[in-house]
Amino acid sequence: MERQQRLRIAIQKSGRLTDHSLDLLARCGLKYSRGKDQLMCYGENMPLDVLFVRDDDIPDLVQEDVCDLGLVGLNVIEEKRLAMAARGAQARFELIQRLDFGRCRLAIAVPDDFPYRDLSSLAGRRIATTYPHVLARFLRENSIEAEIVTLSGAVEIAPRLGRADVICDLVSTGSTLLANHLREVTTVLQSEAALIRTPVPLPDEKADWVRRLLVRIDGVQQVKESKYIMLHAPRSALPQIAKLLPGSESPTVIPLDGHGDKVAVHAVCRENVFWETLEALKAAGASALLVLPVEKMLP
Ligand code: ATP
Ligand code: ZN
């Protein structure tokens, strides 16, 4: 009964997505307590509980309606979708929002001494990966016939162990590849974290909380880069200044008592404000420039 009324979201228990996922939920206003090794934690101020699991289990937990929501990488989502399609089934979870963390790419990398020219160099080779279905689609789309060696981890050492000629693995900075004498040659899939939901319709109250959560997530994502900028300027410089403010809607213009033609300009910029922009604003006549971070925003 309890389960009926509270939303349940699955996130990665411990890994690259964990801190960002918890941070996102906290920024959405969720207060929770988490003990060590606890599988689940209860939201104290929202009817939302968090279940900690391996990221690979998240799509199933959501499509089987054990959890209403899940936060997981597009790479895992796509592999799951294709694996199900290969069995003639259709994935039942729904992707509802991409999130701006967990960015990485599934890429093919070859040993330093591998004679790579273009994709055709992969023909007839053994490619080690933990994403066999995404890789198979890529090879099919590029008409390359190669052997896929499916591993459950430690893909980057497969060439050295003689288990494969090249690899197809997740990369973000490329430092792991470098350490293993591998060279990235092509991208197979761009990935980032995303929010998925159960295919089962939610009762009104839960559906309402999902909507509220989505609005808050949107707000959180928007403020990440947003800045509040304040400055003084002669009224005549306003058109020029408005053009320089990065990603802002019409700024608020406030007259300054006793300063004749001078006004104060306040604006929300949806992008970061760099020194170059401030210098350009100053050159356009602005003074007393102040840039503040934005904490919350509700469009
Ligand atoms: P689990 O124990 O939950 O199965 P894992 O080893 O599969 O953990 P992590 O390495 O923690 O997973 O990665 C989780 C997700 O983080 C990946 O599926 C991917 O979406 C994202 N990610 C971002 N950058 C990277 C990267 N450089 N390497 C691997 N994953 C990355
Ligand atoms: Zn995993």
Side-chain angles (χ1 to χ4, degrees), residues 7-296:
L7 276 174
R8 194 179 282 174
I9 184 167
I11 70 168
Q12 192 185 22
K13 182 174 166 61
S14 101
R16 295 172 197 262
L17 300 179
T18 309
D19 286 348
H20 281 114
S21 302
L22 285 172
D23 183 57
L24 176 66
L25 293 174
R27 282 167 180 267
C28 288
L30 181 70
K31 292 202 165 46
Y32 57 89
S33 46
R34 188 188 183 192
K36 256 204 164 26
D37 283 337
Q38 217 173 279
L39 185 65
M40 183 138 152
C41 68
Y42 291 87
E44 290 165 0
N45 59 341
M46 288 188 208
L48 173 65
D49 301 328
V50 186
L51 188 72
F52 297 92
V53 293
R54 285 202 54 195
D55 67 344
D56 315 73
D57 296 334
I58 293 175
D60 274 338
L61 287 169
V62 172
Q63 69 180 349
E64 286 160 16
D65 197 38
V66 176
C67 294
D68 306 287
L69 301 169
L71 275 176
V72 63
L74 286 173
N75 50 307
V76 172
I77 293 173
E78 206 51 21
E79 179 66 21
K80 183 78 200 176
R81 222 195 269 286
L82 293 172
M84 291 186 71
R87 293 200 307 266
Q90 207 186 345
R92 296 174 66 239
F93 51 81
E94 263 175 60
L95 194 149
I96 47 178
Q97 169 109 47
R98 286 162 174 259
L99 303 166
D100 59 2
F101 64 87
R103 248 185 222 125
C104 59
R105 55 200 180 273
L106 188 64
I108 293 182
V110 304
D112 285 343
D113 57 3
F114 185 93
Y116 184 89
R117 258 175 304 112
D118 51 36
L119 284 180
S120 68
S121 309
L122 301 173
R125 300 294 193 154
R126 294 167 304 159
I127 311 178
T129 190
T130 46
Y131 297 90
H133 294 93
V134 177
L135 174 59
R137 178 181 60 184
F138 176 82
L139 294 174
R140 211 166 41 239
E141 283 172 358
N142 289 283
S143 312
I144 305 288
E145 297 229 9
E147 183 189 338
I148 297 174
V149 179
T150 305
L151 302 179
S152 57
V155 168
E156 66 281 1
I157 59 169
R160 259 185 296 154
L161 297 179
R163 299 185 74 183
D165 303 302
V166 307
I167 69 163
C168 171
D169 202 7
L170 293 174
V171 187
S172 49
T173 58
S175 55
T176 309
L177 293 183
L178 212 62
N180 286 285
H181 306 286
L182 296 163
R183 177 166 59 94
E184 187 175 344
V185 294
T186 189
T187 299
V188 171
L189 182 81
Q190 286 288 353
S191 183
E192 60 199 352
L195 185 68
I196 54 174
R197 63 156 281 166
T198 166
V200 178
L202 296 170
D204 283 354
E205 203 174 322
K206 277 170 109 178
D208 199 47
W209 268 105
V210 171
R211 266 193 298 277
R212 286 172 74 177
L213 200 60
L214 279 172
V215 172
R216 292 182 187 190
I217 287 175
D218 206 43
V220 169
Q221 303 216 102
Q222 288 203 28
V223 300
K224 272 240 174 95
E225 292 277 281
S226 294
K227 295 284 182 270
Y228 193 75
I229 183 165
M230 306 195 277
L231 55 86
H232 292 176
R235 204 173 267 283
S236 57
L238 282 182
Q240 174 72 7
I241 283 175
K243 262 190 255 158
L244 289 168
L245 293 171
S248 79
E249 277 136 42
S250 51
T252 308
V253 177
I254 310 155
L256 283 173
D257 259 356
H259 280 80
D261 174 43
K262 255 196 180 167
V263 292
V265 178
H266 291 194
V268 172
C269 296
R270 299 292 174 100
E271 296 164 35
N272 210 343
V273 179
F274 296 102
W275 283 109
E276 287 74 14
T277 308
L278 294 185
E279 287 158 3
L281 285 166
K282 203 162 170 65
S287 59
L289 292 132
L290 201 56
V291 181
L292 306 170
V294 174
E295 193 188 277
K296 291 191 177 68

